[in-house]
Amino acid sequence: TGGPRESSRPHMSAPQDQQVAVVGCGLAGCMTGMLFAKRGFRVILTEKNEDWRQNEEEMKDDLHRNNIKRSINLALSHRGRSALKQIGLEEEVMRFAVPMVGRAIHTSKSSLDADAFQPYDENDPSNCIYSVSRERLNNLLLERLEAQPNVTVLFKHSLTHIDRKGVAHFETTGSGDSVNTYNDYRKGTYQIQPRLIVGADGAYSVVRESLLRLNLTNFKRKYISHGYKELTIPAKDDKFALKNHNALHIWPRGSFMMIALPNPDKSFTATIFAPLHTENGVPGLKDINSEDEIKKYMGTHFPDVLPVMPDYVSDFKQNPTSPLVTVEVSPWNYKDKIVLLGDSAHAMVPFYGQGMNAAFEDCLFLDEVLASCGGNLEKAIPQFAAEREPAGRGIAELSMGNYLEMRHHTGSTLFLLRKKTRGSTELCFPHLVDPTVQDGHLHEDTVSCCH
């Protein structure tokens, strides 16, 4: 299957002449870089942007900085924790993770209190997900990666293309802009020819673009009609402003919704997922610009939360309206020379809360396949790509399907009754309930095995 194997094999040393280049310094890039480094490979990690941890004041208006700092809160599940455990960081990450044991549903517009609570596990509250800060997690991974003696991290190195000899060409201007047309390549000011190139450079992957030119590869990118806008619910008197802070809060509104995830500083990061353009008389996120338009939109659809969201107008104006995109590519590899993982291979909408977890599982599964092949990249890379691709496609499809449930079904009486009935049936007659399915969806811990 495409999920992690049951047993964890011991790390082995790799030949010192085997250099692995990982393109992309985000979560997936740092995770796979750590795993390769622990196996003895020489790792070079490149990032097209400046180091966002430096000169924070100068970079406050930088788009990449804002994407790291102001991005959809991450939901950490068992699959992500397994990868963190493998690199020895699970305990440290869990210290700043906030547990979410269920969904708090807000259908009423007249009260801040949730109308219903849906536990993720009716019988075992410890079976939950955790809210974590993307920036804090990314910085921790990067810090530990830089401490490895066999790792080099290069910022402001923008990949332009990979040629047929396996040479990766970079520009070092820090602009992140490609300088080539589709069939016109210019030699990079910085060049490397590693044994393996790992594309962990996101939904708009340059590694993937090179793979498309080098290989007979199927590729599809699709934008959905919805986008997202982030707002903040700050702490109130040093306490969480919403009751039941150990929950994912959802305001379902039929064709759109708002969610809020708790943070360690007792604030909530709220995210509106809604059409980008006006539909059925409801203004789209890109069509709401003036202060009066913002106040009217929020006052009409989310009036209950406004008393605890004092800066919603400035947040709405300052935070970008971002699109949501899905990516599907097949195969994920070019021989044993290039391989994709994470968003570069299967970017998904965030409605199943498994984007980071699936990316981490990609990294862990690659590491385990490499172990099973005795460190032989020639065998491991094609095997990983073939076995893992169906799982990536499956979780992306589930993520899209879960959006309908979150924005609409979570507030329906029939859905709530079905949730309660299923939990009681599973407790009394566990042999009658398929543990991999919950309310028409695969349980998140078994999605990795779905084909």
Side-chain angles (χ1 to χ4, degrees):
T1 67
R5 287 146 165 76
E6 289 297 321
S7 60
S8 178
R9 294 175 174 84
H11 289 298
M12 62 191 70
S13 295
Q16 286 302 302
D17 62 343
Q18 294 204 65
Q19 184 185 62
V20 174
V22 180
V23 181
C25 210
L27 294 169
C30 290
M31 175 60 74
T32 199
M34 281 288 290
L35 290 166
F36 271 109
K38 283 181 171 292
R39 291 207 174 274
F41 288 88
R42 291 186 298 114
V43 177
I44 182 167
L45 189 74
T46 66
E47 168 59 47
K48 67 180 181 180
N49 298 287
E50 293 186 41
D51 186 347
W52 57 87
R53 301 166 299 173
Q54 309 298 323
N55 304 319
E56 182 167 345
E57 182 61 28
E58 294 179 16
M59 296 182 67
K60 65 182 180 180
D61 295 323
D62 180 77
L63 179 61
H64 177 68
R65 166 74 183 178
N66 287 339
N67 284 340
I68 291 289
K69 193 172 182 66
R70 292 196 192 103
S71 55
I72 302 171
N73 265 41
L74 302 174
L76 177 65
S77 70
H78 174 73
R79 65 179 67 232
R81 292 178 64 181
S82 296
L84 290 168
K85 183 177 182 180
Q86 185 73 356
I87 62 172
L89 287 181
E90 182 187 20
E91 289 188 9
E92 188 164 350
V93 170
M94 295 308 291
R95 285 199 286 269
F96 60 82
V98 181
M100 297 185 293
V101 299
R103 297 164 168 170
I105 311 300
H106 300 256
T107 55
S108 171
K109 296 182 181 180
S110 60
S111 173
L112 187 59
D113 294 341
D115 303 285
F117 178 76
Q118 302 169 3
Y120 287 124
D121 191 319
E122 292 275 0
N123 310 312
D124 181 7
S126 67
N127 184 18
C128 64
I129 57 177
Y130 294 81
S131 174
V132 296
S133 160
R134 176 191 295 270
E135 181 181 31
R136 190 167 180 179
L137 178 56
N138 208 150
N139 289 351
L140 175 62
L141 286 168
L142 185 55
E143 174 189 318
R144 296 304 168 85
L145 187 64
E146 289 175 322
Q148 303 300 311
N150 52 334
V151 173
T152 301
V153 180
L154 300 175
F155 289 94
K156 297 177 67 175
H157 281 63
S158 179
L159 179 70
T160 58
H161 71 282
I162 303 167
D163 65 30
R164 291 196 174 276
K165 295 180 180 180
V167 176
H169 296 256
F170 296 83
E171 288 298 324
T172 56
T173 61
S175 68
D177 297 328
S178 175
V179 295
N180 301 316
T181 61
Y182 191 86
N183 291 309
D184 175 38
Y185 299 113
R186 191 171 76 187
K187 289 185 178 180
T189 55
Y190 177 80
Q191 302 174 29
I192 54 174
Q193 190 174 14
R195 172 62 182 81
L196 173 68
I197 299 172
V198 180
D201 49 340
Y204 303 96
S205 169
V206 179
V207 176
R208 187 184 61 234
E209 291 300 312
S210 293
L211 189 150
L212 295 178
R213 296 177 176 91
L214 295 171
N215 204 19
L216 294 176
T217 305
N218 295 308
F219 170 66
K220 180 171 67 176
R221 177 191 291 132
K222 181 180 179 181
Y223 291 91
I224 67 172
S225 61
H226 288 59
Y228 69 92
K229 171 82 73 174
E230 288 208 341
L231 308 172
T232 300
I233 301 175
K236 186 176 183 179
D237 300 324
D238 200 32
K239 296 179 181 179
F240 285 98
L242 299 178
K243 294 180 180 178
N244 197 347
H245 65 271
N246 291 125
L248 166 63
H249 289 257
I250 305 176
W251 289 260
R253 296 297 184 258
S255 63
F256 59 101
M257 67 175 179
M258 183 170 70
I259 67 171
L261 279 75
N263 297 311
D265 65 357
K266 296 183 172 58
S267 68
F268 283 86
T269 299
T271 308
I272 298 174
F273 294 99
L276 292 170
H277 301 287
T278 300
E279 292 183 5
N280 301 319
V282 179
L285 293 178
K286 284 186 172 293
D287 300 326
I288 305 168
N289 300 300
S290 70
E291 181 172 333
D292 287 343
E293 290 170 337
I294 295 169
K295 288 181 176 180
K296 181 178 180 180
Y297 179 83
M298 295 296 293
T300 300
H301 302 294
F302 308 106
D304 54 309
V305 77
L306 297 188
V308 294
M309 196 180 274
D311 300 319
Y312 75 92
V313 173
S314 59
D315 283 349
F316 209 105
K317 285 184 174 181
Q318 294 174 12
N319 294 345
T321 297
S322 302
L324 294 169
V325 64
T326 64
V327 165
E328 185 176 324
V329 59
S330 179
W332 289 8
N333 67 303
Y334 174 62
K335 301 178 179 179
D336 58 337
K337 308 299 183 185
I338 302 174
V339 68
L340 306 175
L341 47 74
D343 282 354
S344 65
H346 53 74
M348 64 190 73
V349 293
F351 307 123
Y352 211 73
Q354 292 301 311
M356 172 191 66
N357 296 293
F360 277 2
E361 191 177 64
D362 289 346
C363 303
L364 183 58
F365 185 60
L366 175 56
D367 182 66
E368 292 171 341
V369 171
L370 187 60
S372 71
C373 293
N376 187 327
L377 292 171
E378 187 175 0
K379 295 180 179 178
I381 297 305
Q383 180 180 332
F384 161 78
E387 293 188 12
R388 184 64 184 163
E389 182 191 325
R393 185 168 59 250
I395 185 63
E397 291 172 355
L398 284 168
S399 297
M400 185 65 76
N402 204 43
Y403 185 39
L404 177 61
E405 175 182 309
M406 291 180 71
R407 75 187 194 190
H408 181 67
H409 293 163
T410 50
S412 75
T413 303
L414 179 60
F415 178 84
L416 297 176
L417 178 61
R418 181 156 55 94
K419 289 279 291 185
K420 182 64 69 175
T421 302
R422 188 191 189 283
S424 301
T425 303
E426 185 174 8
L427 179 62
C428 300
F429 308 103
H431 62 287
L432 296 179
V433 180
D434 183 349
T436 67
V437 178
Q438 289 187 357
D439 306 300
H441 299 293
L442 290 180
H443 187 274
E444 68 92 3
D445 287 338
T446 58
V447 167
S448 61
C449 300
C450 121
H451 288 248

